[in-house]
Amino acid sequence: MAARNEYDKKDFNPNEVQSLDGSPGHEAHDVYTAPLHRKLKSRHLQMIAIGGIIGPGLLVGSGNALHLAGPAGILISFILVGIIVFFVMQSLGELATLIPVTGSFIEYAERFVDDSLSFALGWAYWYLWVTVLANEYNAVSLVIMYWTDTVPQWAWILIFWFLFLGLSMLGVLAYGEVEFWLSLVKVISIVVFFILAVIISAGGIGPQKIGFKYWKNPGAFADSINGVAKTFVIAGTLYAGTEMVGITAGESANPRKAVPRAIRQVFWRILIFYVGMMFFIGILIAYDDPNLLAAGSRTARSPLTIALSNAGIAPAAHLINGLIVISVISAGNSSLYVASRTILFMSRNRKAPRILGRTDKRGVPWVALLFSNIFGCIAFISQASGGGTVYNALITLSGVATFIVWGVIEFVHIRFRNALKAQGQAVEDLPFRAKWYPYGTYASLAANVFLIFFQGYTAFLRPFDSTAFVTNYILLPVFVILWVGYKFWRKTKWVKVEEMDIWSGRREIAPEDEEAAAKKRTLFHKIRNVVVG
């Protein structure tokens, strides 16, 4: 094995392997090979991960989840999917800390499994974020129309289309700063809502004491197990974005420090905010409230806004609506960021048109940004049919893609561990190790595979719903076609564990300042890290 390791290290070329990640050594700017800039700090990484998923999907889409499953149903689905997210993040944290590349798990799939799987995964992940971006456009335009319908919905979509594109063109450091502060505003606003929710429920504000009366009438479940099944895919979509830590690791200044911290803390923030949000809207609003977003509805109002309006806090309701608009700017930023970096990697690895791999002198992948944003224009479809119907369909499609991506991450992690063993490498030498491996990883993989098929089973209930069937399962054959088609076209081969490249893309360990590290271990700094990173 010593000979094998020497061979790996001798062939290792940091300038070649890390070309996407901002490695030094490029004397001239080549628009097709120039690296991205490594300027994201730990606090940026953490807020990007949480800010990208606290958007209209959570603040508006949660109302639809409540409508479908009821207060107990959404708690069950979001807690179960949250457990899956925990193990996915553990697996990704182990890989991204050791090998922080912009391609992240798409590159890992290429190196540890098969190049054809990487091709299918990359396009599925890009599609996921383009779909999420379209959801952002559709949701924010509907929310703004809570105030006025003087400006047509398509005009609001167009306004935010240019706004998102302009912010994304500023560069990675500007993007990180904007995302940090916008995400902080969102976090603070949700905490304020939680406090108000407790006061409203106890009868301190509003016409009556609510307590858990909506759990009794109309009930804790909207449609028993069927409602829970329908919200699994919504939960998957709203949790989608936790894995973007892997993508941003490639542009992190110190991934060995930033990634583990982001992995450990972001999960707990998400679990608290998401499960907390589901709990509070479940006690403040009945699942059959006519104002909730339902299929065919043209008035998509946030459950936060509904809850505060019902309590007679009209000014606060307008403030929440404004914060939702702010949140969509942040979430749209993250959606475009991930989609553009994904297609950039695909382009530079001959899996997408070469033109998409261009960057400017600031390291901004402007062609990939424009290309991804153009496809986000599918949000305009909402003008031809009910906003609620289109919104639900888009969420379902992107939710299935999320489970596919998470399942592949777990499978890639298993293959990586097998390669470590085959090549005689010690697990103890890893800078970050996934908790409860292999049990958690295998269980999460099985759960993702199960949810890919289970989430759409209601389409088979009598009468058979052909539209729901296509929406729930169309991505599966498309993914397989991309995988198998690319395999035959490129004649790719399954990578043997003995031949896996587990060395390329690693970075040197930055020297640790012991005095600074000691300060960060104090109680004050621990609290600060949990709140703002």
Side-chain angles (χ1 to χ4, degrees):
M1 292 310 302
R4 172 68 187 169
N5 292 342
E6 289 174 6
Y7 173 80
D8 284 333
K9 294 173 183 177
K10 181 179 68 174
D11 282 358
F12 175 70
N13 183 343
N15 291 334
E16 178 183 341
V17 174
Q18 302 183 34
S19 61
L20 274 177
D21 301 309
S23 54
H26 293 267
E27 296 180 358
H29 180 83
D30 186 330
V31 293
Y32 290 107
T33 61
L36 302 179
H37 294 180
R38 294 172 175 168
K39 294 184 177 180
L40 292 179
K41 300 177 182 178
S42 178
R43 64 186 179 90
H44 295 144
L45 227 63
Q46 295 180 70
M47 277 302 183
I48 285 170
I50 192 170
I53 58 175
I54 299 181
L58 173 64
L59 304 180
V60 178
S62 55
N64 188 40
L66 175 62
H67 173 75
L68 293 173
I74 55 175
L75 279 179
I76 292 172
S77 61
F78 274 80
I79 288 174
L80 290 178
V81 175
I83 294 172
I84 294 174
V85 171
F86 173 79
F87 289 112
V88 171
M89 293 293 285
Q90 289 293 311
S91 297
L92 185 58
E94 180 174 301
L95 295 168
T97 304
L98 182 68
I99 310 173
V101 291
T102 300
S104 190
F105 43 85
I106 302 170
E107 180 170 337
Y108 305 150
E110 175 184 329
R111 289 162 55 173
F112 304 155
V113 185
D114 191 319
D115 195 25
S116 58
L117 176 61
S118 173
F119 176 81
L121 180 65
W123 280 107
Y125 195 58
W126 174 82
Y127 164 79
L128 162 64
W129 282 104
V130 167
T131 306
V132 170
L133 179 62
N135 282 338
E136 316 282 7
Y137 289 137
N138 191 47
V140 71
S141 59
L142 289 170
V143 168
I144 286 183
M145 294 185 74
Y146 168 71
W147 285 317
T148 176
D149 56 3
T150 302
V151 178
Q153 186 183 348
W154 65 264
W156 287 118
I157 295 175
L158 196 61
I159 290 170
F160 279 93
W161 191 92
F162 282 104
L163 179 62
F164 289 174
L165 185 63
L167 288 174
S168 299
M169 293 291 186
L170 293 177
V172 67
L173 184 57
Y175 158 75
E177 284 297 326
V178 170
E179 185 62 21
F180 175 82
W181 292 108
L182 289 179
S183 297
L184 189 58
V185 170
K186 291 188 292 185
V187 169
I188 293 174
S189 67
I190 291 178
V191 171
V192 171
F193 172 75
F194 286 174
I195 295 172
L196 287 174
V198 172
I199 299 174
I200 293 171
S201 179
I205 300 177
Q208 60 180 333
K209 179 181 178 180
I210 298 176
F212 285 86
K213 83 171 194 175
Y214 293 129
W215 282 58
K216 300 175 182 178
N217 182 24
F221 293 92
D223 189 18
S224 65
I225 187 64
N226 296 334
V228 176
K230 291 175 183 176
T231 54
F232 272 128
V233 72
I234 297 178
T237 302
L238 300 191
Y239 274 119
T242 52
E243 74 289 331
M244 77 169 63
V245 171
I247 302 292
T248 55
E251 293 178 78
S252 170
N254 188 355
R256 293 219 174 188
K257 173 184 175 183
V259 174
R261 178 182 293 176
I263 293 295
R264 294 188 187 103
Q265 295 179 1
V266 165
F267 169 78
W268 295 111
R269 296 183 198 174
I270 290 170
L271 193 61
I272 291 170
F273 291 133
Y274 270 67
V275 176
M277 178 69 72
M278 298 307 124
F279 173 75
F280 283 118
I281 68 173
I283 64 175
L284 294 181
I285 308 171
Y287 68 74
D288 58 357
D289 189 303
N291 289 320
L292 287 174
L293 175 63
S297 172
R298 297 293 294 182
T299 307
R301 294 172 59 190
S302 166
L304 283 73
T305 305
I306 296 171
L308 296 179
S309 295
N310 290 346
I313 316 176
H318 285 286
L319 179 60
I320 290 293
N321 232 42
L323 289 171
I324 293 173
V325 175
I326 291 175
S327 76
V328 83
I329 298 173
S330 169
N333 246 357
S334 294
S335 300
L336 261 183
Y337 175 91
V338 178
S340 64
R341 269 57 179 183
T342 300
I343 205 67
L344 175 77
F345 171 81
M346 297 285 286
S347 172
R348 292 186 172 185
N349 286 268
R350 301 197 308 162
K351 296 181 178 71
R354 185 170 183 263
I355 187 66
L356 299 176
R358 289 179 66 100
T359 59
D360 62 18
K361 293 182 179 180
R362 298 170 299 140
V364 177
W366 64 274
V367 180
L369 283 168
L370 184 60
F371 176 78
S372 299
N373 208 27
I374 287 174
F375 276 86
C377 289
I378 59 177
F380 286 107
I381 297 174
S382 64
Q383 301 301 295
S385 59
T389 302
V390 173
Y391 189 66
N392 294 341
L394 291 175
I395 278 186
T396 301
L397 287 170
S398 55
V400 176
T402 302
F403 292 132
I404 292 175
V405 170
W406 289 350
V408 172
I409 290 174
E410 296 293 44
F411 182 63
V412 166
H413 181 219
I414 293 170
R415 292 278 296 170
F416 170 73
R417 281 296 189 99
N418 292 341
L420 287 181
K421 183 178 180 181
Q423 298 184 25
Q425 302 300 310
V427 176
E428 291 73 21
D429 293 337
L430 296 174
F432 178 87
R433 295 193 298 276
K435 291 183 181 297
W436 300 315
Y437 182 90
Y439 308 107
T441 305
Y442 277 93
S444 180
L445 173 59
N448 278 297
V449 173
F450 173 74
L451 288 176
I452 287 172
F453 294 96
F454 176 73
Q455 50 82 28
Y457 92 94
T458 53
F460 296 95
L461 300 179
R462 295 182 180 179
F464 176 75
D465 190 338
S466 58
T467 301
F469 173 78
V470 172
T471 302
N472 289 324
Y473 294 107
I474 187 63
L475 278 185
L476 295 181
V478 170
F479 186 82
V480 172
I481 290 171
L482 289 174
W483 187 353
V484 176
Y486 191 82
K487 187 171 185 64
F488 278 100
W489 181 34
R490 293 290 188 182
K491 296 180 173 55
T492 63
K493 294 182 179 180
W494 191 268
V495 181
K496 297 179 180 179
V497 290
E498 297 84 3
E499 300 175 357
M500 281 186 195
D501 176 11
I502 59 175
W503 297 99
S504 301
R506 300 191 186 192
R507 297 193 201 170
E508 293 296 327
I509 303 176
E512 179 69 25
D513 184 343
E514 290 298 330
E515 184 178 348
K519 289 181 179 179
K520 292 177 182 178
R521 286 193 290 267
T522 64
L523 179 61
F524 171 77
H525 280 83
K526 287 181 179 180
I527 295 174
R528 176 184 176 277
N529 286 338
V530 170
V531 177
V532 299

